[in-house]
C-alpha cells in the first residue's frame, strides 16, 4: 500500500467545517483512498472512501485532487463528538492484496467549544 | 446484531505467560486482521487471514501466533517471546462484494497489561 502523510494534530471550532489533509503522492491507479477515525480507546470506525471522484455521505465529504496525489476529508459541521484520531489510508480494492490494511499515525483532531 | 467481538476488554498477565485474545465475528467476513496500538501511536499490523486455514504475517509478527480454524474466529496468542506485550490490541474483519474488498470493521479492542 502507498504511504500517506498527515499532519499530526489540528484544532477545530465546534460548528465549523474541519478540513483534514492527506498526501499520498505514490498512490497507484488502482488504489482507493479510505478514511477511518478512532475515538479514544475504541476501535477505528470507517468514514468514507473514494477512487478519483469526490464522495459524500452522512458523515463527511472526500475531495480527491485531479492528480490523486492528495485528498481532503471534510467534516461539514464539527461537533465535540468528532474529537478523534483520523486515519487516511490507501489500498487496492480488488484481489487478495486489498486485504492488507496499513495505518499511519493519523491526525489528532480536537474540536473545541 | 452483526458485529465483531473482542474479549476480554481488559486483560492482565504475568510476565513470561502466554495469553490468547479472542476475536469473533458474525458478519460472514472472509478476511480478519490483528493490529497492535501503543499509546499515541497508529495501528501496526500483526497478522491477517484472507480465508480459513490460511494467514500471513504482518509488519510485527514476531512473538505472536494466530490460527484460523473457523471463519468466525481468529484468536491471537501473545507468547512469552514478545518483548513488549503491553498494548491495545484491535481485531478487524472485511470481505469482498464481487471482486472488490469492503471496508474493514473493527472490534472495541483488548487492553493487555503484562506485569
Amino acid at each position: 500500500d502507498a504511504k500517506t502523510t498527515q499532519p499530526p494534530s489540528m484544532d477545530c471550532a465546534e460548528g465549523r467545517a474541519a478540513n483534514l489533509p492527506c498526501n499520498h503522492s505514490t498512490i497507484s491507479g488502482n488504489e482507493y483512498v479510505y478514511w477511518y477515525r478512532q475515538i479514544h480507546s475504541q476501535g477505528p470506525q470507517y468514514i468514507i472512501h473514494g477512487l478519483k471522484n469526490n464522495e459524500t455521505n452522512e458523515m463527511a465529504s472526500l475531495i480527491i485532487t485531479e492528480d490523486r496525489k492528495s485528498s481532503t476529508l471534510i467534516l461539514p459541521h464539527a461537533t465535540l463528538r468528532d474529537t478523534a484520531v483520523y486515519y487516511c489510508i490507501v489500498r487496492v480494492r480488488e484481489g487478495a492484496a486489498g486485504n492488507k490494511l496499513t495505518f499511519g499515525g493519523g491526525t489528532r483532531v480536537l474540536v473545541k467549544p | 446484531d452483526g458485529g465483531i467481538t473482542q474479549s476480554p476488554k481488559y486483560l492482565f498477565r504475568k510476565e513470561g505467560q502466554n495469553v490468547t485474545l479472542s476475536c469473533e465475528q458474525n458478519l460472514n467476513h472472509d478476511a480478519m486482521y490483528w493490529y497492535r496500538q501503543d499509546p499515541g501511536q497508529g495501528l501496526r499490523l500483526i497478522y491477517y487471514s484472507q480465508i480459513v486455514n490460511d494467514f500471513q504475517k504482518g509488519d510485527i509478527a514476531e512473538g505472536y501466533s494466530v490460527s484460523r480454524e473457523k471463519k468466525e474466529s481468529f484468536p491471537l496468542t501473545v507468547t512469552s517471546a514478545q518483548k513488549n506485550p503491553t498494548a491495545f490490541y484491535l481485531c478487524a474483519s472485511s470481505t469482498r462484494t464481487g471482486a472488490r474488498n469492503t471496508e474493514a470493521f473493527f472490534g472495541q479492542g483488548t487492553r493487555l497489561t503484562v506485569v
Side-chain angles (χ1 to χ4, degrees):
Chain A
D1 290 343
K3 184 176 179 180
T4 61
T5 304
Q6 298 177 253
S9 64
M10 64 182 293
D11 293 345
C12 176
E14 187 179 18
R16 304 292 293 271
N19 298 311
L20 283 62
C22 179
N23 287 323
H24 31 78
S25 58
T26 60
I27 191 170
S28 300
N30 63 344
E31 288 183 311
Y32 286 69
V33 180
Y34 279 74
W35 283 83
Y36 287 79
R37 74 179 183 183
Q38 185 179 24
I39 295 171
H40 183 62
S41 294
Q42 297 183 21
Q45 173 191 24
Y46 164 79
I47 301 174
I48 198 167
H49 73 277
L51 181 64
K52 55 184 177 181
N53 297 322
N54 298 338
E55 301 288 343
T56 295
N57 63 20
E58 65 278 4
M59 290 182 68
S61 295
L62 174 61
I63 309 298
I64 303 174
T65 57
E66 193 169 342
D67 63 7
R68 299 206 330 118
K69 293 185 177 182
S70 65
S71 60
T72 300
L73 179 75
I74 301 173
L75 307 178
H77 305 286
T79 71
L80 299 180
R81 287 176 293 181
D82 291 322
T83 292
V85 178
Y86 288 77
Y87 295 99
C88 166
I89 67 172
V90 294
R91 66 182 282 222
V92 298
R93 287 196 74 190
E94 288 77 28
N99 281 330
K100 184 177 180 182
L101 307 177
T102 302
F103 286 75
T107 296
R108 190 172 299 274
V109 173
L110 176 61
V111 179
K112 296 182 175 179
Chain B
D1 284 354
I4 182 164
T5 302
Q6 291 185 242
S7 60
K9 190 172 177 65
Y10 299 95
L11 189 55
F12 295 87
R13 279 294 182 270
K14 290 184 178 179
E15 191 173 347
Q17 290 181 335
N18 292 354
V19 59
T20 298
L21 281 59
S22 169
C23 179
E24 303 278 334
Q25 54 97 0
N26 59 4
L27 300 167
N28 199 33
H29 284 177
D30 294 302
M32 296 186 74
Y33 316 77
W34 275 105
Y35 291 89
R36 170 186 172 132
Q37 188 173 37
D38 294 288
Q41 305 295 313
L43 281 68
R44 292 186 290 168
L45 183 63
I46 305 172
Y47 269 98
Y48 64 108
S49 167
Q50 299 174 31
I51 198 168
V52 175
N53 293 322
D54 184 59
F55 49 83
Q56 288 81 39
K57 292 182 179 180
D59 301 316
I60 55 164
E62 185 175 351
Y64 299 98
S65 66
V66 293
S67 63
R68 187 83 188 279
E69 297 177 0
K70 299 187 299 181
K71 189 176 186 179
E72 304 80 18
S73 179
F74 191 41
L76 173 74
T77 296
V78 184
T79 75
S80 57
Q82 169 50 233
K83 297 288 187 281
N84 298 296
T86 294
F88 188 47
Y89 291 87
L90 287 156
C91 180
S93 69
S94 69
T95 193
R96 293 184 193 174
T97 302
R100 293 184 172 179
N101 299 300
T102 68
E103 66 271 21
F105 293 82
F106 283 81
Q108 290 304 296
T110 292
R111 191 167 300 278
L112 173 65
T113 302
V114 176
V115 297

